[in-house]
Amino acid sequence: MEREFAVKAKGVIKSYDDSHALNGIDLEVRSGQVMGFIGPNGAGKSTFLQAVLGLLNTEGELEVLGLDPRKERHKLLQKVCSITDVAVLPKWMTVEQVLKYVDGVHPRFNLEKAKSILSKTDIKINSKIKTLSRGLVVQLHLSIVMAIDAELLVLDEPTLGLDLVYRKEFYSQLIEDYYDGNKTILISTHQVEEIEGVLSDAIFMNQGRIVMKDSIDAINERFLELRPNQESLERARSLKPMHIRTELGREVFLFEGTEIDKLTELGEVRPPFIADLFMAIMDKTKSEGQG
Amino acid sequence: MNTLVTLIRRELQEHKVGFIYAPFIVTCVLSLVVISVYFGLTNIQTPEFNFSTKIYENEQALEWMATADIEQITAVMRSGLVVLALPILLTVAFAILAFNLSTFADERKDRTLIFWRSLPVSDLTTVMSKILLVTLIVPLIVLPNIILLHLISLLSASIFFATNDIVPFGWVWSAYSLTDWFRIIFSLWAQSLWSLPLMAWLMFAGAFAKRPIMGALVPIAVVVVLESIVLKTNHIFHFIEDRLGFWTSSLPEQHEEVRVVDVSDIYLMFSTQDFWIGMALSTLLIGGIVYFRSRNNDYSSE
């Protein structure tokens, strides 16, 4: 039976002493979505992903693939894979040993597939993990994950510390060789611009709350960025942009819900980058709070 | 079952130096020493222990060897072989001690814990795999070393005896029982179960304390001192002392002095209250390790 939702969260709260790392998260992630969690440090992205993986106790209702992640973690992990920036593969192991280990403990792992994926990389099967560069270790981890027939993949800052080449390779491998439309992927990263083309949906988080959530298509329809001609500046301003920023001495206007036809005659129009949109929403939230 | 085998194989891969190489190296060194002694290249003489070919120049010793019956030969040989294998057992005991203290502390320190816990293996299964390793599997790995040392020692002795016209080549072999191998392995397993509360305590300290050695020693020191001041008793101290010693200390008094035990003695241990108190305590500690391991998720600043 096809599952409609991979993740369902209602009023999820995680408190540490006096502060809330998660402050009432309501969220539904449909099966097959590639959801990006975007926000500054301390926004609660990793905390939420840890809760999804059953690594944290939270208040509220949380259901992942129809299971309670805390109580049924063992069962859940047969269908969920994860890569986090801090997950360290054991340095004393060889690549072959780690593959055999995963093969021995994971019922959905395909050893031959993993070896086949690795054969296309620079990773030698008999290399010790401690001799691999950070980029190759992440590539090895991704190869392992790609050989697991999982329903949900959780990526928490998976490419942190990698150079540009490895980061690009990571995401292209993920989407071209792994994502088949049925798998659900949750990604949290600071390098938003690199995953923009990968996401189907985005969630903006700040201070343990969801500030905005929508599909990328809807965001592109709803928000437009205008770089007005010099003579159209005042007309653009009169259309009440939700945010104005300056880029290389030129003002860039962000509009919400404004018809594209009204803007095209004023200058260059395009959908905003997710990172810019996020910054605009943060600024707006801040100024509304102050106001 | 496959998961458990995989987990134990992983532990042996990681700790092959302590559990596989070190006992084998000690066995090789001991074998060389034994061979050297029988070939007259060296002597081992301490106030308590004398191992030298000179002993066979002793008239009384030679007469005893010529007239002893099989049971007497077996008894002497067993005692000698037990003493000979002690360095191997001490090496393994040290490796187990280091393993118990470090196994749950290291995975937190180097953050491999997050990788291990990202796979569908429950904390209880992981903890039990480590307990099974130190109680059942390591004794099985040690056994071939002990057997090898026995066989090399007996072979060297036989060659020495035969070439020096002391007794025929087959003198010791007729008294050497292959069933002793079972006696040894069951005795090692009994020892593991007897010392399990201490091993589980060390693992527990590794699971909860930032500094496992301090975590293992300080609480015990505090409790022992408090008990002696408040209750004027030393039960905890004696409990630990007993568990550090041979499992035969659990036996009723008339068996305590028996150095070379029989498999049937293990049943006696199972019938003692002390043994079951230790097992109950171990179960509680294993529960504690599972609890702390499942909560060691400190991997994000968020």
Side-chain angles (χ1 to χ4, degrees), chain B:
Chain B
M1 192 62 192
N2 191 25
T3 301
L4 212 53
V5 171
T6 304
L7 290 173
I8 290 172
R9 188 176 60 203
R10 181 200 88 186
E11 296 296 349
L12 286 174
Q13 284 166 345
E14 184 174 4
H15 300 279
K16 57 180 181 287
V17 173
F19 293 146
I20 299 172
Y21 297 163
F24 182 68
I25 290 167
V26 172
T27 303
C28 292
V29 171
L30 288 171
S31 302
L32 279 175
V33 170
V34 168
I35 292 167
S36 305
V37 168
Y38 278 115
F39 283 81
L41 300 172
T42 185
N43 291 315
I44 298 170
Q45 280 175 313
T46 66
E48 297 86 22
F49 187 69
N50 180 8
F51 183 32
S52 126
T53 48
K54 287 199 177 87
I55 198 169
Y56 302 109
E57 290 165 10
N58 178 331
E59 291 287 330
Q60 273 183 313
L62 292 176
E63 195 186 328
W64 180 86
M65 290 179 77
T67 57
D69 60 31
I70 285 204
E71 277 182 20
Q72 286 173 314
I73 301 169
T74 306
V76 167
M77 213 169 60
R78 276 180 167 184
S79 301
L81 292 176
V82 164
V83 174
L84 196 60
L86 278 180
I88 303 176
L89 297 177
L90 285 173
T91 305
V92 173
F94 185 76
I96 289 176
L97 174 81
F99 172 82
N100 291 338
L101 267 175
S102 67
T103 187
F104 292 112
D106 285 354
E107 64 176 14
R108 271 187 300 148
K109 209 164 130 192
D110 65 15
R111 295 185 143 189
T112 49
L113 173 65
I114 300 157
F115 173 67
W116 303 128
R117 294 198 81 232
S118 73
L119 295 164
V121 182
S122 69
D123 292 305
L124 179 63
T125 309
T126 304
V127 174
M128 286 317 294
S129 74
K130 290 174 196 270
I131 296 282
L132 282 175
L133 175 76
V134 289
T135 53
L136 286 181
I137 308 300
V138 171
L140 276 175
I141 297 168
V142 174
L143 184 66
N145 291 287
I146 295 174
I147 292 172
L148 180 67
L149 182 63
H150 283 183
L151 296 180
I152 288 175
S153 306
L154 295 184
L155 189 66
S156 312
S158 299
I159 293 170
F160 173 76
F161 295 151
T163 52
N164 288 280
D165 289 331
I166 297 172
V167 283
F169 183 85
W171 185 77
V172 290
W173 297 99
S174 58
Y176 185 70
S177 167
L178 294 179
T179 55
D180 267 10
W181 295 355
F182 292 101
R183 186 177 57 78
I184 294 166
I185 191 66
F186 279 103
S187 187
L188 290 175
W189 282 336
Q191 182 65 48
S192 305
L193 291 178
W194 178 243
S195 303
L196 185 58
L198 289 189
M199 296 200 279
W201 169 254
L202 296 178
M203 287 188 187
F204 181 70
F208 83 85
K210 276 192 176 166
R211 293 180 181 166
I213 296 175
M214 297 298 280
L217 294 179
V218 173
I220 286 187
V222 169
V223 172
V224 166
V225 170
L226 276 179
E227 190 202 344
S228 71
I229 293 170
V230 179
L231 302 173
K232 313 276 186 219
T233 56
N234 292 306
H235 293 308
I236 296 172
F237 179 77
H238 289 310
F239 179 87
I240 296 165
E241 196 183 21
D242 281 351
R243 304 291 160 152
L244 281 170
F246 288 111
W247 62 271
T248 46
S249 66
S250 69
L251 301 181
E253 271 183 27
Q254 64 268 30
H255 291 83
E256 250 184 48
E257 295 307 315
V258 182
R259 288 292 310 269
V260 180
V261 292
D262 281 323
V263 174
S264 59
D265 293 339
I266 295 170
Y267 295 108
L268 290 173
M269 179 179 80
F270 289 153
S271 67
T272 64
Q273 198 185 6
D274 270 7
F275 173 77
W276 291 107
I277 290 172
M279 291 308 282
L281 193 60
S282 305
T283 309
L284 280 178
L285 287 168
I286 288 168
I289 300 166
V290 172
Y291 174 84
F292 277 106
R293 190 177 192 264
S294 68
R295 269 146 187 81
N296 284 331
N297 297 313
D298 173 29
Y299 81 75
S300 171
S301 58
E302 282 201 26

Side-chain angles (χ1 to χ4, degrees), chain A residues 65-271:
Chain A
L65 302 177
L67 299 166
D68 179 332
R70 192 68 201 178
K71 290 183 185 150
E72 297 166 286
R73 187 168 179 275
H74 174 64
K75 224 166 151 185
L76 181 70
L77 286 179
Q78 298 194 1
K79 305 181 203 172
V80 178
C81 286
S82 65
I83 300 181
T84 67
D85 68 308
V86 287
V88 178
L89 296 184
K91 290 190 170 63
W92 56 268
M93 272 184 152
T94 64
V95 172
E96 187 164 30
Q97 281 172 342
V98 80
L99 293 183
K100 281 192 176 160
Y101 175 78
V102 180
D103 189 40
V105 299
H106 208 305
R108 293 181 171 213
F109 180 71
N110 184 333
L111 182 63
E112 290 314 309
K113 189 174 174 186
K115 284 183 176 173
S116 151
I117 297 167
L118 280 174
S119 67
K120 292 169 201 156
T121 69
D122 294 334
I123 302 167
K124 302 272 179 295
I125 197 93
N126 52 359
S127 299
K128 276 219 166 178
I129 290 172
K130 68 178 169 197
T131 64
L132 303 178
S133 67
R134 167 137 175 83
L136 289 180
V137 172
V138 174
Q139 210 169 25
L140 169 62
H141 203 164
L142 182 65
S143 306
I144 292 170
V145 162
M146 283 169 63
I148 295 173
D149 181 24
E151 290 178 40
L152 175 66
L153 175 61
V154 176
L155 303 171
D156 187 8
E157 296 288 356
T159 55
L160 202 72
L162 298 192
D163 63 30
L164 185 64
V165 177
Y166 278 120
R167 294 205 302 265
K168 290 272 179 203
E169 266 179 33
F170 181 93
Y171 288 114
S172 73
Q173 211 174 354
L174 184 74
I175 290 304
E176 284 163 25
D177 300 338
Y178 182 75
Y179 184 67
D180 60 3
N182 293 318
K183 292 179 167 73
T184 311
I185 304 179
L186 309 182
I187 311 177
S188 139
T189 178
H190 284 103
Q191 276 124 3
V192 186
E193 65 285 356
E194 285 169 19
I195 58 163
E196 243 186 288
V198 170
L199 302 180
S200 68
D201 294 77
I203 287 185
F204 293 171
M205 289 183 77
N206 194 28
Q207 295 178 340
R209 293 176 195 276
I210 293 176
V211 183
M212 194 192 91
K213 59 183 171 195
D214 222 329
S215 71
I216 296 295
D217 290 344
I219 287 172
N220 288 342
E221 272 179 34
R222 189 169 143 199
F223 297 97
L224 288 170
E225 206 173 68
L226 169 70
R227 282 170 174 73
N229 305 322
Q230 203 58 37
E231 61 278 12
S232 311
L233 267 174
E234 283 315 308
R235 276 180 66 201
R237 222 182 288 277
S238 70
L239 290 173
K240 294 198 169 59
M242 67 171 277
H243 185 258
I244 304 172
R245 67 186 165 90
T246 310
E247 193 179 89
L248 298 172
R250 207 175 151 189
E251 283 185 313
V252 181
F253 294 67
L254 182 70
F255 292 92
E256 182 181 1
T258 309
E259 283 169 34
I260 191 163
D261 297 341
K262 285 187 183 169
L263 300 177
T264 40
E265 58 194 41
L266 303 177
E268 183 191 331
V269 180
R270 49 151 292 162

